[in-house]
Amino acid sequence: MTSTDYEHPYRPLGVRAFNLLGTAGADFGLSDRLDVNSLRDAARRRTGLSDFGDDGHAEALEVLVASINDEARLTPIGRVIQKSRLTDALVQRLRIQDLVTRHPEIENIDLGTIILITGLQRTGTTLLQRLLCSHPQIRGITGAEALVPVATGETAERSERSRRWRAMLAQRTVSYLAPDFQAIHPVGHDQAEEDVLLLDLNFMSQTAEATMTVPGYSRWLEDQDHIQNCEFLRRVLQVLAWQRPTGAWVLKTPHHLEHLDAFCTVFGSASVVQAHRDPRVTLASFCSMVPHGRGIFSDQVDPAEIGRHWCRKTQRMVERAMQVRTGSLAGQFVDVSYYDLIADPINEVRRICEATGVGFDAVAESEAEQFIAANPQNRFGRHVYRLDDFGLTEHGVDETFAAYREAYAIPFEDDQHGSPSADPPPSPSAEDNVPASRGRPERGLGDRGFVGAAVTAFRDLRNPKAPDFAPVPDGVRIDGTTCLVTGANSGLGRAAAVELARRGGRMVLACRPGHDGVCEEIKRESGSESVELVEVDLADLRSVHRCCDELRDRGIRIDIALMNAGLMTPAAQRSAQGYDEMFAVHFLANRVMIDRWLPDGVVAPAVPGGDRPRIVFVSSEAHRSSASIDFDRLGEFVPYGMKDSLRHYGVSKLALCTYATELSRRLNRRGEADCGVDGDESERLEVAVHALCPGGVATNITRGAPAPLRSVVDPLIRLFFRSPEDAVEPVIWLCCAPEAGSSTGLYLHLMHRKQVSESAADPAIGARLWEASQVMVEQSRGLQ
């Protein structure tokens, strides 16, 4: 099963060591930038040639290299690989130009029948391509040819051996650097590959934006005329045909979907086969492939950015293709449904051959059947993926691709295969597997134990990617607002209370009994006199109701509620009402308080034109690795020891994240996001509800542990984790940033926007948790 921990790319030990050395070298002033002139000089030295061809590639190379240097944030090994790839591309340009100069007849070669397979990524195009390539009369471009169109050697046999060796080395390198990639998109030196790899030699392809973060290059590429690019492709195909003639070609790449006008202009008689599949699935599947590719070159992999970029990009691709197809070229197209292909691949291949004038006899059918038998689905592993890992929603994707779905009658895949957790019918392609099942625990903190959790938190802090949000400037004030912070007597809650008071907030500190002096401390540190105390023991619902009564009777109206209090017990402990204590503190107390505050007017939804109150929950990434919520034993006290404590902590945080997501839905039904990427729904919001994980923080969360354990753990926490004052940035951003007040449902990890786990985001699970816990809320009213 492929990893979904996209933000932490797989790193073999040797690569980690190389990156450390490379980073140290950069710190000592060694250049880490690519240089176009140096790349050209290296290619000239390797070949003894100098003519790269005058076809407009020079500008593309300049733009690409500039974007890599300025935006891609490559690791040392990533820079080495990109430098090698770009140099190899220039070497191939020199050799292609030299071969055509010595053999001008190459440019007169008739390529014969051309079948282009295109469509959105992950629509079965690889399966179609390789099935057609099994036809005795059709050839494609092998992986070896795509990487080395012109090989060198004393004989043709040695040249071919050299080409195959280079391709095998590249395949093994990818498998070493990104083992999961083979499960998502299997590659082989002797199998048909995408002709986009030939466009890489012209530095004008989608490969760069799929494998690196290069938005500047991507924007430039969209503005170019791609006719010259297709003319370069035709020239390279002629070079390959000169070496290994054929009467019919099958090409394949989603890249051409964006530029069908240019392709059909250059390859006028080509037939275009367009594959179709539910965009919900294709986008999620492709987005999950991108981080595995980008992770080879960079430590800075941002799933949300990937989702935004490729949602927009794929929408552009299908819309441009639809425009082309409404014109005079419409008769050149053959449409293939992914679901028809899976159900009867032989029939679909026969239909394509008939439409393109290629015979499909018993021999061709036998070859196709043999290919299917030799390439079962999931041969290289099972590929799992989720839309919400990339900040996308099904509703948003449906709206984005509504016209495309209607134009080609594309069904929703759930209607084809049942629930998203079900495998599709047997398929000979590993290109397109299945979405991850709902409720599946994600690999995270909770199943790694205390040591693993600590190491993960330390790694997150010491290897930060560029934050998605800047800290809230000191000048941003919240004068006139009332802020309540639970657990404000120590740790992150105390640091947040000081900062909110410093910015002008009237502070209400909700603390356990015995902390009378905290008000004076926070007044002194913040310079604000507007600080007051209410006592509450969140492990006792009777105390929770007393606190709610006091807030109501004092006429307090909360503008910002920071639900921060938390603890981690070293073993199972009962709350005052007999629940698991972590469940009671992290979830149930918050549920009861907010259920009281809304009708009591302590928190009041915004009126038109009024300020929106904010409710911010401090949660944990541990929620991702927790088992699904056990509704039959919800909150029930179950004895456990230290070994299982973190797992139960994660379960309580999963309940909290699920509740926060459901609360956001219920309080803002008119303002639910209606697109797969960010949008302005602020005028419809009534209450902004957010959650966050602050990362590793040096707090007294282990206060319930035995003294001998605390004497060991607490010094290590203080040594390796951030202080509460340093860790408070995401809390303040959600409480104070104007952007957080005009949206709802955000989840931050450190200062990075992420999605909560699939289980926490599932509306059905959220509704069930709401209904099940409502019984507990009603029962607690008898304690008032």
Side-chain angles (χ1 to χ4, degrees):
M1 184 181 298
T2 55
S3 169
T4 57
D5 188 9
Y6 302 118
E7 294 181 86
H8 300 107
Y10 170 78
R11 287 285 179 267
L13 179 60
V15 172
R16 293 202 298 270
F18 183 92
N19 284 340
L20 286 173
L21 291 173
T23 301
D27 290 342
F28 281 101
L30 297 179
S31 175
D32 59 356
R33 296 179 67 83
L34 301 177
D35 179 74
V36 171
N37 291 331
S38 297
L39 295 172
R40 289 180 175 277
D41 289 343
R44 292 187 185 102
R45 287 194 300 272
R46 279 175 52 182
T47 62
L49 303 170
S50 60
D51 186 0
F52 293 98
D54 183 18
D55 52 11
H57 76 280
E59 181 185 2
L61 179 59
E62 293 277 359
V63 174
L64 175 58
V65 168
S67 190
I68 291 173
N69 285 333
D70 296 339
E71 300 170 323
R73 295 175 292 180
L74 302 184
T75 60
I77 194 70
R79 285 191 295 274
V80 168
I81 296 173
Q82 288 299 333
K83 180 179 180 180
S84 175
R85 291 185 71 248
L86 294 173
T87 303
D88 287 345
L90 289 168
V91 165
Q92 285 302 309
R93 288 192 64 90
L94 288 169
R95 289 178 176 161
I96 290 169
Q97 185 67 22
D98 176 67
L99 182 64
V100 173
T101 300
R102 290 186 289 109
H103 297 277
E105 69 274 14
I106 289 175
E107 295 188 297
N108 296 322
I109 291 176
D110 183 356
L111 294 173
T113 299
I114 293 179
I115 303 171
L116 169 66
I117 298 172
T118 192
L120 288 181
Q121 298 89 344
R122 325 301 294 157
T123 54
T125 53
T126 297
L127 171 58
L128 265 180
Q129 174 201 32
R130 293 179 179 176
L131 278 171
L132 284 169
C133 284
S134 70
H135 193 295
Q137 298 175 24
I138 302 175
R139 70 160 289 190
I141 303 163
T142 67
E145 289 175 322
L147 291 173
V148 189
V150 179
T152 58
E154 297 177 0
T155 65
E157 182 181 350
R158 288 188 177 182
S159 293
E160 186 60 26
R161 191 160 53 239
S162 170
R163 170 189 278 158
R164 288 173 177 266
W165 180 85
R166 290 284 303 278
M168 290 174 64
L169 178 63
Q171 178 185 346
R172 291 172 182 172
T173 299
V174 171
S175 296
Y176 172 68
L177 294 173
D180 284 344
F181 194 84
Q182 187 77 348
I184 302 171
H185 183 79
V187 295
H189 69 279
D190 56 350
Q191 287 192 319
E193 261 303 334
E194 296 194 15
D195 52 291
V196 74
L197 298 178
L198 300 181
L199 298 179
D200 289 350
L201 307 182
N202 205 39
F203 312 110
M204 291 181 66
S205 81
Q206 290 179 358
T207 301
E209 56 191 309
T211 55
M212 294 179 287
T213 305
V214 284
Y217 171 79
S218 301
R219 290 190 296 270
W220 175 87
L221 190 62
E222 289 182 357
D223 292 336
Q224 304 310 300
D225 183 344
H226 283 255
I227 288 180
Q228 173 272 325
N229 206 29
C230 291
E231 289 173 341
F232 175 81
L233 173 62
R234 180 179 60 192
R235 192 183 207 199
V236 180
L237 292 176
Q238 289 172 322
V239 166
L240 294 175
W242 182 79
Q243 299 173 74
R244 185 162 67 94
T246 184
W249 290 87
V250 59
L251 308 179
K252 173 256 177 178
T253 178
H255 169 97
H256 291 310
L257 193 65
E258 187 178 7
H259 308 290
L260 282 176
D261 50 350
F263 183 89
C264 292
T265 297
V266 174
F267 299 93
S269 61
S271 298
V272 181
V273 178
Q274 185 174 351
H276 306 282
R277 187 183 183 186
D278 185 350
R280 290 181 182 178
V281 180
T282 63
L283 187 56
S285 179
F286 181 67
C287 282
S288 72
M289 185 178 84
V290 171
H292 289 288
R294 289 190 180 180
I296 295 175
F297 306 108
S298 176
D299 289 331
Q300 313 298 319
V301 178
D302 183 352
E305 182 276 329
I306 290 170
R308 289 192 298 270
H309 177 84
W310 284 102
C311 185
R312 183 198 65 81
K313 184 74 168 181
T314 50
Q315 179 187 22
R316 169 184 162 86
M317 290 164 64
V318 295
E319 288 180 351
R320 285 176 60 86
M322 290 168 67
Q323 290 173 3
V324 170
R325 294 191 58 173
T326 59
S328 59
L329 302 174
Q332 295 180 228
F333 288 81
V334 178
D335 291 298
V336 173
S337 166
Y338 171 82
Y339 312 103
D340 293 339
L341 175 64
I342 294 302
D344 192 348
I346 299 299
N347 183 65
E348 291 304 295
V349 172
R350 178 185 292 107
R351 188 167 67 87
I352 292 170
C353 288
E354 291 173 353
T356 57
V358 178
F360 191 78
D361 55 17
V363 175
E365 183 172 346
S366 175
E367 292 291 335
E369 290 173 344
Q370 290 180 43
F371 173 84
I372 293 172
N375 293 271
Q377 185 188 21
N378 301 333
R379 174 185 173 193
F380 297 99
R382 187 170 179 269
H383 174 205
V384 296
Y385 42 86
R386 307 171 181 86
L387 269 177
D388 59 8
D389 282 341
F390 305 94
L392 303 172
T393 66
E394 288 185 348
H395 181 65
V397 172
D398 291 346
E399 286 212 341
T400 299
F401 294 93
Y404 167 63
R405 188 189 293 276
E406 181 180 0
Y408 299 103
I410 302 170
F412 292 96
E413 190 146 315
D414 287 4
D415 298 336
Q416 296 289 316
H417 307 310
S419 72
S421 61
D423 287 339
S427 162
S429 173
E431 173 191 357
D432 301 289
N433 294 315
V434 298
S437 62
R438 299 191 185 278
R440 184 189 308 280
E442 300 176 44
R443 184 72 177 171
L445 299 179
D447 58 351
R448 295 177 180 173
F450 282 102
V451 173
V455 169
T456 299
F458 178 78
R459 179 188 62 186
D460 288 341
L461 295 176
R462 293 300 182 271
N463 296 283
K465 68 173 186 176
D468 293 326
F469 308 102
V472 179
D474 289 343
V476 174
R477 304 281 299 173
I478 55 171
D479 300 284
T481 62
T482 299
C483 310
L484 180 141
V485 181
T486 63
N489 52 283
S490 65
L492 191 68
R494 189 180 189 282
V498 170
E499 181 62 13
L500 293 172
R502 188 186 66 78
R503 293 176 181 269
R506 172 197 175 190
M507 300 308 304
V508 179
L509 312 181
C511 303
R512 287 178 290 117
H515 296 281
D516 295 343
V518 70
C519 277
E520 294 304 317
E521 294 172 6
I522 291 179
K523 287 178 181 179
R524 184 171 59 252
E525 293 179 31
S526 66
S528 171
E529 290 297 312
S530 298
V531 183
E532 52 195 288
L533 179 70
V534 294
E535 289 188 345
V536 61
D537 180 357
L538 297 180
D540 183 352
L541 294 180
R542 190 184 304 275
S543 175
V544 170
H545 279 291
R546 281 199 299 266
C547 175
C548 292
D549 290 340
E550 181 178 352
L551 294 172
R552 179 199 60 201
D553 294 342
R554 288 165 57 180
I556 292 176
R557 177 169 175 170
I558 299 169
D559 300 297
I560 299 172
L562 176 57
M563 318 305 279
N564 161 79
L567 78 164
M568 182 184 295
T569 60
Q573 295 185 18
R574 293 181 189 269
S575 74
Q577 283 70 44
Y579 298 106
D580 177 86
E581 187 174 19
M582 288 192 287
F583 174 87
V585 171
H586 297 154
F587 167 70
L588 188 55
N590 291 323
R591 175 78 167 86
V592 169
M593 280 194 289
I594 293 171
D595 187 81
R596 284 286 311 273
W597 289 349
L598 290 167
D600 287 350
V602 175
V603 171
V607 296
D611 291 334
R612 299 167 189 83
R614 307 186 195 197
I615 302 174
V616 178
F617 298 93
V618 177
S619 187
S620 169
E621 281 288 89
H623 84 277
R624 297 187 185 281
S625 57
S626 304
S628 56
I629 297 171
D630 185 352
F631 288 99
D632 293 331
R633 307 179 69 178
L634 185 65
E636 182 178 322
F637 175 82
V638 178
Y640 55 84
M642 185 181 299
K643 180 181 178 182
D644 294 321
S645 178
L646 187 60
R647 180 168 62 84
H648 285 268
Y649 174 84
V651 170
S652 70
K653 291 297 188 180
L654 174 60
L656 179 61
C657 282
T658 305
Y659 170 62
T661 306
E662 183 66 13
L663 181 66
S664 176
R665 290 192 197 99
R666 289 177 181 251
L667 295 183
N668 301 285
R669 288 200 180 277
R670 290 174 299 155
E672 289 180 30
D674 62 359
C675 59
V677 295
D678 295 341
D680 183 8
E681 294 293 321
S682 60
E683 63 184 34
R684 300 189 235 170
L685 291 182
E686 296 182 2
V687 181
V689 181
H690 305 303
L692 70 115
C693 169
V697 186
T699 68
N700 67 344
I701 194 171
T702 60
R703 62 181 179 271
L709 179 61
R710 291 203 313 272
S711 66
V712 174
V713 173
D714 286 351
L716 293 175
I717 288 178
R718 287 193 296 271
L719 177 63
F720 292 112
F721 288 179
R722 294 185 302 170
S723 69
E725 292 73 18
D726 291 332
V728 80
E729 284 184 350
V731 176
I732 300 304
W733 196 92
L734 289 175
C735 289
C736 300
E739 300 96 314
S742 60
S743 60
T744 191
L746 296 177
Y747 178 85
L748 300 189
H749 177 211
L750 303 173
M751 289 294 277
H752 310 301
R753 180 175 181 178
K754 299 178 71 171
Q755 297 295 311
V756 294
S757 70
E758 184 177 14
S759 176
D762 191 325
I765 296 175
R768 188 176 181 188
L769 177 63
W770 188 280
E771 293 165 4
S773 60
Q774 187 63 35
V775 176
M776 300 176 179
V777 171
E778 296 299 331
Q779 290 173 346
S780 77
R781 294 188 186 280
L783 301 173
Q784 288 181 249

